[in-house]
Amino acid sequence: MSAQPHLSSDAVPRALVIEDSEYTAYLLAFMLERAGYDVTTVRNGRDAQILIDGDAVPDVVLLDLMLPHVDGFELLTEMRESPKWRRVPVLVLSSKMLEADVVRAFDLGANDYVTKPFRPQELLARVNRLAPSGQGPG
């Protein structure tokens, strides 16, 4: 698991986890790495913005909405306004359960929405479905 905001450029599918909870970020990274993803984790909206402005683009993003500095809604807007990030699949993973929040995320371009607490195998199946191959790694 990488704590540095960088993304590898090899053939392994790259997942970006944007999550402020240390425990949840660790769990997601562990789960995704076991499934064959190269995982980069950032813990706040500012670090995520650095990645969005950079050259490396992941294959799939798991995005929390409630983040320090810049929230997930703003990050989602920035991703969809960036030509490089526009088509990157984004799965929102949030404890926000109000219909208005879910609809807003979809309206801003989220590809999927899962509420916390999540079921790990279901979440992995959703991530694999969003990965460019449609099946995830392997």
Side-chain angles (χ1 to χ4, degrees):
M1 172 174 58
S2 172
Q4 298 296 323
H6 78 282
L7 299 172
S8 74
S9 59
D10 57 21
V12 174
R14 296 155 302 166
L16 172 59
V17 174
I18 306 170
E19 169 62 58
D20 64 324
S21 161
E22 184 175 353
Y23 173 77
T24 303
Y26 176 81
L27 178 62
L28 291 170
F30 178 78
M31 179 182 77
L32 291 167
E33 286 171 352
R34 279 192 55 185
Y37 288 87
D38 177 27
V39 180
T40 297
T41 302
V42 294
R43 303 276 303 283
N44 65 67
R46 267 193 225 132
D47 287 346
Q49 284 178 314
I50 292 169
L51 291 179
I52 294 168
D53 291 338
D55 292 327
V57 178
D59 296 305
V60 65
V61 175
L62 281 76
L63 174 65
D64 188 11
L65 294 176
M66 295 185 290
L67 297 163
H69 310 301
V70 179
D71 73 21
F73 291 118
E74 177 63 27
L75 293 174
L76 188 53
T77 299
E78 291 178 24
M79 287 180 210
R80 293 313 182 222
E81 289 175 350
S82 166
K84 291 184 291 187
W85 286 72
R86 186 169 291 133
R87 299 197 190 288
V88 175
V90 177
L91 182 147
V92 171
L93 181 61
S94 179
S95 57
K96 287 180 164 279
M97 295 184 216
L98 292 178
E99 183 179 21
D101 293 320
V102 176
V103 170
R104 181 177 177 200
F106 280 123
D107 285 347
L108 292 173
N111 298 86
D112 203 350
Y113 196 109
V114 175
T115 56
K116 296 175 186 174
F118 59 90
R119 295 183 293 271
Q121 292 304 314
E122 177 189 342
L123 181 65
L124 185 58
R126 289 172 181 268
V127 171
N128 286 340
R129 182 182 61 81
L130 292 175
S133 69
Q135 302 173 42

